[in-house]
Amino acid sequence: MMWFTADLHLGDTNILHDMDRPFDSVEEMNRKVIDVINECVAANDLLYILGDFTYRLPMAEAVRLRKRIECQNITLIRGNHDSDWEDPDVPQIWEDVRDYLEIAPGYAKGHRLVLSHYPMLSWNGKARGAIMLHGHIHSRGDRTNVRNRDRERPIFRYDVGLDANEYKPVSRDQILSFFGL
């Protein structure tokens, strides 16, 4: 199973207030976000975090939080706050670290999945049904995703960020079903 999420912002005290997240403290947010990931995503599933795993945390604390996630196959698509992960002196805790990734159509019922922290106006394969998955915009609820789907010609772009998805990761199958694919 494939899962996607973005904008965890673990350790970010500002995000609690800026996005009105329903947690009383950063420690509670960190714990509950990781607990929900562990409830949804099995250890042998594939998890893609599309940017901003942590915010202004010491590397040792970021590593400790990553190790609390039971899934072993996590690819990090770097966002604004993920610059240090490719440093050779940093523990290698990710399956892969990228700025951008395309997943072949064979893994999503014939639809290419285009992964970036940042939403794009156009992307490789857009005219042929490729689905853009992103974070970064911190949309509240699924309004942005619904607006993309409920058009005369849907835009296959989906915000996988926590704030848009009830603070849970989203599966590939949920995304395909959302678009009626």
Side-chain angles (χ1 to χ4, degrees), residues 27-40:
E27 294 76 22
E28 179 188 11
M29 178 181 70
N30 293 351
R31 183 181 71 254
K32 287 189 174 181
V33 165
I34 291 172
D35 287 350
V36 167
I37 290 171
N38 288 335
E39 289 170 15
C40 295

Side-chain angles (χ1 to χ4, degrees), residues 7 132 134-139 144-145 157-161 164-165:
D7 302 307
M132 147 81 0
H134 66 86
H136 184 64
I137 61 174
H138 294 275
S139 56
T144 299
N145 292 331
R157 181 173 56 217
Y158 193 96
D159 180 356
V160 299
N165 295 286

